[in-house]
């Protein structure tokens, strides 16, 4: 994916964009393989340090990284 | 409560370019500067806007749900096998050096984390020593590792007091000698491994070199510079010159009357003496700032950008400057080791110092009084190092000292974890039975469960730490910040 707008630095953005685009495609194909009538609407990845949320679309991808304060 | 979010919008086109646009999107203040990039792809802004409007509600809803959610409280996943115990993986020694009663003065891991080197010398020799000493390396990843036979042994005509492997070239190692010289060896050369040396010139230190560091050279990316620290009060930066010589590039001299003293500290009668520097640590976030520990018990904040000239009498080829900017509250004895925390954020500048009073002080560079003052043991502390992976953990090496009116020599490696206790060590590893102070410890940055410790019997032990010392907890940085913001009276 090619970054259009970001609030992070350049290199981190490019890294996130590339890796998460691939992951989103994989997640989407997983959902459709299980049920061809279904499709991916939202993807969330929870890690030790933060949560990554991805809203996918035909042409665009919105990625938000949140630090949930407990 | 507040959340930190970052937003990225991406398109799925196969062109390598970067465009910045000003759509009306709800984001927090964007902190990065607007960058000029060549526009090779046309973004359809109206469809982008439609997309963002469509997903905006869903994403905001999820964000709000998240910071109110308690679903994951206390939820932890173990990806690796939990290692409960601390093991001694290797006990390395060089019998010839041990026969000469030499001690391990310094250990260093190389850039790849697979080779550990140690230097043999004497830390308790008071006179000019002309004993031969050795630098030995072992490659721990090799099969057929013989702990009594180092892969490489370098004979050195004078006692080696400190070692440092190059941070990116795995075969280069620098050492500081008792005679005040610096030597750089290339361990991949089978013939003469010496590639650079300072020799004994007017510029060389007149006292033993107690610490040597590699500095990245801003101008020439392939060449690093060497920094050496000695009790003659000088901190010198060397660059590579012709014929395998190291020439002085710049230098600093610590003179007693040029050390700034804040009114909160007791006034000392410094006199005109040079202040012997025993240790140094660079800040990880400001490359010009460094902390030094001196024999007088003070830790000092210094800067390489200092401009005032030092008032010292002996001539040197490059004018020496006085770098000290702030003096911190002193220890009750000489400081032997300082270490700056590799974990930093905007206001978090912490460093540790330890010395012969058996105390470790945790300082913030913003104030002279220590944040935490730990009486770790009654023995001298020779070395303190922050853990490279856990912001709240550090290791300290202890040795000789007076306990219960008898002079005891048993050495320990103390591992301290602020998460568990702020009073006493989480773990104290006995290096060996009998008399052997531990003089140096180093964490392995690449294989973070390994810790090397060198002691007075001439043995280097490589310890494998348990998982609780190597895995960062989810809120450690927050704890560290809380620790740093507590102000002591």
């Amino acid at each position: 994916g090619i970054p259009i707008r970001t609030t992070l630095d350049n290199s981190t953005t490019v890294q996130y964009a590339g890796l998460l685009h691939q992951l989103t495609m994989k997640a989407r194909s997983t959902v459709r393989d299980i049920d061809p009538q279904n499709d991916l609407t939202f993807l969330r990845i929870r890690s030790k340090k933060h949560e990554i949320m991805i809203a996918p679309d035909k042409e665009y991808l919105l990625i938000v990284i949140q630090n949930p304060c407990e | 409560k507040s959340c930190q979010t970052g937003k990225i919008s991406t398109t799925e086109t196969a062109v390598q370019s970067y465009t910045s646009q000003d759509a009306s999107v709800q984001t927090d203040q964007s902190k990065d500067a607007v960058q000029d990039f060549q526009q090779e792809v046309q973004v359809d802004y109206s469809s982008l806007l439609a997309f963002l409007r469509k997903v905006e509600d869903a994403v905001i809803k999820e964000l709000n749900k998240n910071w109110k959610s308690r679903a994951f409280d206390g939820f932890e996943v173990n990806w690796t096998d939990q290692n409960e115990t601390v093991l001694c993986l290797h006990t390395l020694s060089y019998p010839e050096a041990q026969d000469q009663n030499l001690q391990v003065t310094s250990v260093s891991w190389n850039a790849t984390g697979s080779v550990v080197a140690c230097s043999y010398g004497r830390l308790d020799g008071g006179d000019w020593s002309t004993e031969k000493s050795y630098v030995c390396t072992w490659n721990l990843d090799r099969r057929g590792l013989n702990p009594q036979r180092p892969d490489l042994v370098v004979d050195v005509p004078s006692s080696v007091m400190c070692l440092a492997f190059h941070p990116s070239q795995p075969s280069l190692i620098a050492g500081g000698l008792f005679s005040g010289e610096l030597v750089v060896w290339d361990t991949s050369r089978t013939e003469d491994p010496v590639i650079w040396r300072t020799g004994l010139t007017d510029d060389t230190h007149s006292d033993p070199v107690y610490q040597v560091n590699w500095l990245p050279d801003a101008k020439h990316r392939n060449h690093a510079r060497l920094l050496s620290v000695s009790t003659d009060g000088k901190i010198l930066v060397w660059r590579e010159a012709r014929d395998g010589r190291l020439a002085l590039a710049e230098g600093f001299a610590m003179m007693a009357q040029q050390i700034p003293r804040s009114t909160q500290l007791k006034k000392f009668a410094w006199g005109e003496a040079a202040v012997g520097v025993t240790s140094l640590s660079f800040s990880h976030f400001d490359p010009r700032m460094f902390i030094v520990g001196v024999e007088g018990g003070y830790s000092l904040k210094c800067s390489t950008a200092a401009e005032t000239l030092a008032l010292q009498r002996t001539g040197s080829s490059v004018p020496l400057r006085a770098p000290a900017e702030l003096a911190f509250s002193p220890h009750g004895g000489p400081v032997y080791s300082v270490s700056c925390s590799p974990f930093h954020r905007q206001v978090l500048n912490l460093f540790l110092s330890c010395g012969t009073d058996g105390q470790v002080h945790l300082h913030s560079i913003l104030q002279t009084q220590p944040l935490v003052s730990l009486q770790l043991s009654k023995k001298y502390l020779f070395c303190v190092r922050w853990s490279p992976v856990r912001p709240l953990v550090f290791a300290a090496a202890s040795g000789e000292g007076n306990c219960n009116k008898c002079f005891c020599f048993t050495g320990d490696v103390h591992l301290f974890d602020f998460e568990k206790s702020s009073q006493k060590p989480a773990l104290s590893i006995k290096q060996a039975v009998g008399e052997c102070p531990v003089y140096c410890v180093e964490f392995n940055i690449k294989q973070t469960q390994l810790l090397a410790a060198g002691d007075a019997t001439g043995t280097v032990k490589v310890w494998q730490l348990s998982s609780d010392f190597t895995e960062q907890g989810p809120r450690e940085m927050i704890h560290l910040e809380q620790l740093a913001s507590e102000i002591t009276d």
Side-chain angles (χ1 to χ4, degrees), chain A residues 8-65:
Chain A
L8 298 177
D9 62 275
N10 198 358
S11 56
T12 312
T13 303
V14 168
Q15 197 179 21
Y16 268 106
L19 293 171
L20 289 176
H21 174 45
Q22 292 176 33
L23 185 64
T24 310
M25 292 295 101
K26 184 72 181 174
R28 183 167 186 241
S29 71
T30 305
V31 168
R32 288 166 63 111
D33 279 355
I34 294 172
D35 178 358
Q37 307 301 317
N38 204 355
D39 207 344
L40 180 71
T41 54
F42 203 83
L43 185 60
R44 288 165 73 160
I45 303 170
R46 184 134 189 147
S47 71
K48 254 196 325 195
K49 296 183 186 174
H50 39 238
E51 175 149 339
I52 305 170
M53 275 166 277
I54 306 163
D57 183 74
K58 187 167 69 114
E59 291 164 34
Y60 307 103
L61 215 58
L62 177 67
I63 302 172
V64 182
I65 301 147

Side-chain angles (χ1 to χ4, degrees), chain B residues 200-384:
Chain B
L200 281 171
T201 63
D202 286 337
D203 288 337
T204 323
H205 288 286
S206 47
D207 269 18
V209 176
Y210 280 105
Q211 189 163 327
V212 64
N213 279 29
W214 290 91
L215 295 182
D217 192 346
K219 289 176 229 130
H220 312 104
R221 287 181 136 246
N222 293 329
H223 298 290
R225 292 184 169 191
L226 271 177
L227 179 135
S228 61
V229 145
S230 162
T231 43
D232 64 358
K234 293 195 276 193
I235 301 165
L236 301 175
V237 180
W238 306 87
R239 62 179 168 80
E240 297 162 18
R242 289 165 299 139
D243 299 333
R245 290 270 144 181
L246 287 170
L248 192 59
E250 54 182 328
F252 305 94
M254 311 287 289
M255 303 302 291
Q257 65 272 45
Q258 288 182 298
I259 294 182
R261 270 158 283 159
S262 92
T263 48
Q264 289 172 336
L265 303 177
K266 285 186 299 188
K267 300 226 187 285
F268 259 69
W270 285 94
E272 283 207 357
V275 178
V277 184
T278 53
S279 55
L280 180 146
S281 176
F282 267 89
S283 158
H284 287 256
F285 66 97
D286 181 354
R288 296 168 316 167
M289 187 180 86
F290 59 96
I291 308 285
V292 300
V294 298
E295 282 180 322
Y298 285 85
S299 324
L300 303 162
K301 175 171 92 125
C302 305
S303 169
T304 55
E307 309 234 317
T308 8
L309 289 181
L311 315 160
Q312 44 103 235
R313 293 172 224 137
T314 57
S316 81
S317 60
V318 169
L320 301 182
R321 293 171 279 155
E325 291 180 347
L326 178 66
F328 296 95
S329 171
H331 281 262
V335 174
Y336 277 149
S337 183
V338 289
S339 178
C340 286
S341 173
F343 293 93
H344 61 88
R345 286 212 191 138
Q346 267 89 350
V347 283
L348 196 69
N349 310 319
L350 299 178
F351 72 90
L352 293 167
S353 62
C354 75
T356 56
D357 58 353
Q359 290 188 356
V360 172
H361 287 187
L362 172 68
H363 279 277
S364 158
I365 59 156
L366 302 171
Q367 60 177 54
T368 50
Q369 297 299 322
L371 294 171
V372 181
S373 204
L374 299 159
Q375 184 73 43
L376 213 55
S377 81
K378 295 205 181 72
K379 306 172 220 160
Y380 302 166
L381 294 176
F382 289 101
C383 187
V384 69

